Amino acid sequence: MKTTLNQSLPLSLLLAASPALMLFSVASAASSASRQADMEKLPLFGGKAASVWSTAESDVVAETNRVKSPSAAMRWHIAVDHYGGEAKYPIGWPRLWRALKGAERDWSGYDFLEFRVFADTTRDKLPGSPVTLLLRTDAAEGSWARALTELKKGEWVNFSIPIAGLPKPDAVQQIMFSISDSNYRHKDEVEFSIADLALTRWARPTLVEFAPERAVLFADAGGLPVRFRLSGLKAGERAEIVCELKRAGETVGRAVLATERGSQRLVLKPSARPWHAGAYELVGKIGDGPPRTTSVRLVESPWTEKGAKP
């Protein structure tokens, strides 16, 4: 265990209370387990907790009670002290961090940062902002921060954070967890068991975040813009996306796009006849993979009466 009491506070700690800067999701254990066969993983735990992770105003040891593999988990303990912190910040920021090196720093080829957290405390329940995840990058923005408000006392919570919104995901320098003493009472004690910290990505071409730009559209719009993100491809690889608009099982619009990984946009046009007001189904598919479906509603346009605007 390494303890550092005089390290200057990084910029990221000042962002701990800032709003989230990108999409963040919490995955249930069932949904997380169901996709493991389709995911590739790069573990980021780093081995023995005490030799890899550094702490300030707190302690870290290997987690041996709540997980099957202690080499992939750690237990971080904080005894909240409103008087004995760093000289400039007696009510400070107990924190746990590790620097990333080599291939670990390039997250650009991955889809998610995933991990599990079990929280326990001497309090009846956790405060509203129990702990913050902080990522430091080479970008001008410096850091990204997100409070893990979904945590509950005595429960494991699975987290899956999309990489796409990170500033400069190809140059991540540091992972940090931090609490603010001001969110706790003096002499509170809190522990976080952190397990299965890893970068993950789809192992085969996969459509994610598939949706129309608008869920409701005028029937005479002449085209339906669709946005999606394509994962599961290496740099330079391409896959063909088939997107269809259906009504009562009939395909009334179709578009095909061969493209690389990342965020994409296409516009569906009517196949033969004009579209009419009603409920439709938007379907996206890659090869023989499972389709992604979502609903779209077309409504009568106020400009179509007598074929002209009033």
Side-chain angles (χ1 to χ4, degrees), residues 10-16 132 134-136 143-145 174 176:
L11 171 63
S12 56
L13 289 179
L14 303 179
L15 300 178
T132 297
L134 309 110
L135 303 173
R136 203 168 195 182
S143 299
W144 173 88
Q174 186 185 80
M176 180 182 291

Side-chain angles (χ1 to χ4, degrees), residues 226-230 257 259-266:
V226 180
R227 291 190 181 274
F228 61 89
R229 189 160 57 84
L230 177 58
L257 178 66
T259 188
E260 299 179 346
R261 74 188 305 271
S263 297
Q264 309 292 345
R265 183 181 188 269
L266 60 78

Side-chain angles (χ1 to χ4, degrees), residues 48 53 159 163 182 230 282 287:
K48 295 182 179 179
W53 292 80
F159 294 92
I163 300 299
S182 62
L230 177 58
L282 180 65

Side-chain angles (χ1 to χ4, degrees), residues 219 247 273-280 298-300:
R247 187 179 188 190
R273 301 187 302 275
W275 293 337
H276 299 285
Y280 291 76
L298 302 185
V299 297
E300 293 289 354

Side-chain angles (χ1 to χ4, degrees), residues 64-65 91 140 147 162 203 208 215 218 236-237 263 271-272 290 292 303:
T64 58
N65 297 327
I91 302 179
V208 294
F218 287 138
E237 293 182 339
S263 297
S271 295
R292 291 290 305 270
W303 314 119

